[in-house]
Amino acid sequence: YCFLFLVFDLVMIYSDCAGYPFPTAPPVDPFAKIRVDDCGKTKGCFRYGKPGCNAETCDYFLSYRRIGADVEFELSADTDGWVAVGFSSDKKMGGDDVMACVHDDNGRVRIQHFYNVGQWAKEIQRNPARDEEGVFENNRVTCRFKRPVYVPREETIVDLHLSWYYLFAWGPAIQGSITRHDIDSPPVSERVVSIYKYEDIFMPSAAYQTFSSPFCLLLIVALTFYLLMGTP
């Protein structure tokens, strides 16, 4: 009886040495970094922050591209909570389809679907996202997912064949639940966005905005003239 156990152990040892180890769990693929050199060429991009920023340095970054019957979105923001994009018909929060990437207390980044009811975001159980992946690194939430271009008509999920204003937002999370966005007036796309047109659009954050209105320019010219004329 003991001899049989000894033979069994020897067979198992031989199997390992012969190159037949016990199976192990497959490795987890690392999150592929977001490429910005494709912006305006094979995908559309929005950057908000410092001029020249990329997906790892912008306050907020979003890209989109069509892949068959889907649209792939990539989002990244300087936050430890959540980053989101909303699809709106009027540039205002309320009645919007929202996709958010949320960093939870376990270190995971989950893709959630919300619908804005007034100034409040209500989570919707029907989530059109697929092929989800996300990561939290260097105090940034970054994610990638796909959603269908077209879905049967439903109030909370818009048809991406149509053009929408894009609402960009990010902010803190408490126990995996989103809270109010970081800035009082989050950026919004200047015009409606078509998934069939790839652009690379930069929007300066408040710290980098300059006086660009005609009134401000005239005021600067007037002050400069006054100072020059008043100099003896």
Side-chain angles (χ1 to χ4, degrees):
Y1 185 81
C2 293
F3 175 76
L4 291 176
F5 271 100
L6 178 60
V7 171
F8 178 79
D9 289 341
L10 289 173
V11 170
M12 295 301 294
I13 293 172
Y14 175 78
S15 297
D16 287 346
C17 294
Y20 301 102
F22 289 108
T24 57
V28 177
D29 292 334
F31 186 91
K33 288 188 176 182
I34 297 175
R35 296 171 54 92
V36 296
D37 52 345
D38 296 334
C39 291
K41 301 172 184 176
T42 60
K43 63 183 180 182
C45 297
F46 288 90
R47 316 183 197 205
Y48 176 84
K50 181 179 179 179
C53 66
N54 57 36
E56 298 175 11
T57 58
C58 287
D59 293 355
Y60 178 98
F61 178 92
L62 174 138
S63 77
Y64 62 92
R65 64 170 176 159
R66 302 183 314 280
I67 302 179
D70 295 328
V71 181
E72 180 183 75
F73 290 96
E74 297 173 312
L75 285 80
S76 181
D78 183 15
T79 180
D80 62 359
W82 58 273
V83 54
V85 57
F87 309 102
S88 172
S89 61
D90 58 5
K91 285 190 173 185
K92 299 177 182 179
M93 185 175 177
D96 313 308
D97 174 0
V98 178
M99 302 299 299
C101 306
V102 185
H103 176 220
D104 65 22
D105 290 346
N106 296 319
R108 299 170 301 180
V109 174
R110 297 174 293 109
I111 286 74
Q112 297 177 261
H113 180 219
F114 294 88
Y115 183 74
N116 286 339
V117 180
Q119 300 296 306
W120 175 58
K122 176 184 178 182
E123 184 174 1
I124 305 298
Q125 293 305 312
R126 185 185 177 193
N127 190 340
R130 54 191 179 212
D131 296 341
E132 309 169 18
E133 53 180 330
V135 65
F136 176 69
E137 289 180 342
N138 302 320
N139 200 51
R140 293 189 71 87
V141 175
T142 306
C143 66
R144 181 182 293 114
F145 62 89
K146 298 185 182 78
R147 61 173 271 171
V149 173
Y150 173 77
V151 294
R153 182 171 179 80
E154 179 172 322
E155 181 183 16
T156 62
I157 305 178
V158 302
D159 182 355
L160 292 178
H161 273 302
L162 305 176
S163 298
W164 305 90
Y165 291 104
Y166 281 19
L167 311 179
F168 311 117
W170 62 99
I174 299 177
Q175 297 181 346
S177 297
I178 67 173
T179 61
R180 180 176 170 78
H181 40 70
D182 270 352
I183 56 180
D184 290 335
S185 299
V188 181
S189 63
E190 185 65 26
R191 55 185 180 274
V192 292
V193 179
S194 168
I195 61 166
Y196 301 102
K197 185 177 182 181
Y198 295 154
E199 298 180 274
D200 186 9
I201 297 177
F202 169 73
M203 297 173 287
S205 61
Y208 299 97
Q209 291 176 5
T210 58
F211 297 105
S212 57
S213 71
F215 174 78
C216 290
L217 292 175
L218 287 173
L219 181 60
I220 292 173
V221 171
L223 288 173
T224 302
F225 180 77
Y226 173 80
L227 290 173
L228 289 175
M229 293 300 293
T231 303

